[in-house]
Amino acid sequence: MRKTILFFGLTCALVVFLSAFSKLPLIHNMVKIEGGTFKMGSKEKDVAADNDEQKEHDVTVKSFELSKFEVTVWEWKQYTKANKLKMPETPSWGWKDNYPMNNITWEEAISFCNWLSKKEKLQPVYSKRGPNYICNFNANGYRLPTEAEWEYAAKGGKKLKTQSLVEVITQMM
């Protein structure tokens, strides 16, 4: 599969923890996003919307947890060392330990989620059946947010209709 840069949303929200709250040495500072219903998709009159974008419709998401912070280069280095993997191509600004990780594929991101789940003695979420990846939403390990979960959180979730996720997280610090 060709390497692509994960878009900002995946980088910011690389892991979601679905079960009990716990103290974690690598990924911590999880934020509980209370479930709810929101409008997702483009408005009927939005001429800038992509052809494959669905028209605005109601979507309901269950409560979930989302990391307050991006997965850092330092955290990714821990993963690569533990699994004897190489770092991706170095970006022009170099690898700085406290910077967000980038230049990784979706497959690398879910492998990181499974590794972290196993490290924390949680049930990994992802498995592979033939060429397809399966996401077990009932597992208690780490996973990437769904598109709907990410959009819901980025819009401020149920509690804060007028604030962005950044404003919500800033208030929680």
Side-chain angles (χ1 to χ4, degrees):
M1 179 175 207
R2 101 191 155 122
K3 288 245 182 191
T4 58
I5 296 174
L6 289 176
F7 63 89
F8 182 71
L10 285 181
T11 304
C12 286
L14 186 56
V15 291
V16 176
F17 185 64
L18 292 175
S19 69
F21 300 89
S22 65
K23 294 201 176 226
L24 304 171
L26 285 177
I27 304 297
H28 48 61
N29 296 307
M30 303 301 280
V31 177
K32 181 165 184 163
I33 309 293
E34 189 177 337
T37 301
F38 73 108
K39 297 272 188 209
M40 185 174 176
S42 63
K43 297 199 182 298
E44 192 70 39
K45 297 177 183 177
D46 186 357
V47 293
D50 290 334
N51 291 338
D52 64 346
E53 189 173 340
Q54 290 185 15
K55 297 298 177 198
E56 189 174 54
H57 57 288
D58 288 335
V59 174
T60 301
V61 295
K62 295 178 182 176
S63 296
F64 59 99
E65 290 187 10
L66 187 66
S67 177
K68 280 186 187 183
F69 306 107
E70 300 90 351
V71 170
T72 65
V73 169
W74 180 85
E75 290 165 330
W76 193 265
K77 285 178 180 177
Q78 302 310 302
Y79 162 70
T80 59
K81 284 178 193 173
N83 293 285
K84 296 181 175 83
L85 301 171
K86 291 183 179 182
M87 290 290 285
E89 186 177 327
T90 306
S92 60
W93 55 87
W95 291 124
K96 298 188 191 302
D97 283 349
N98 61 337
Y99 276 31
M101 189 58 205
N102 59 56
N103 292 334
I104 60 171
T105 65
W106 179 84
E107 289 171 328
E108 290 169 324
I110 66 170
S111 179
F112 176 86
C113 291
N114 277 350
W115 169 77
L116 188 58
S117 297
K118 290 174 190 171
K119 184 172 175 48
E120 299 299 327
K121 297 181 175 49
L122 301 170
Q123 182 183 5
V125 173
Y126 299 101
S127 61
K128 195 169 182 184
R129 190 172 302 145
N132 302 315
Y133 288 92
I134 309 297
C135 181
N136 177 0
F137 287 95
N138 295 318
N140 66 350
Y142 294 93
R143 67 175 175 83
L144 301 174
T146 65
E147 181 181 2
E149 288 168 338
W150 172 247
E151 188 170 329
Y152 180 72
K155 288 181 175 181
K158 183 176 185 177
K159 291 182 182 178
L160 303 158
K161 299 288 184 196
T162 60
Q163 291 181 302
S164 71
L165 180 59
V166 172
E167 293 167 323
V168 172
I169 290 171
T170 302
Q171 291 174 354
M172 295 177 162
M173 296 174 128

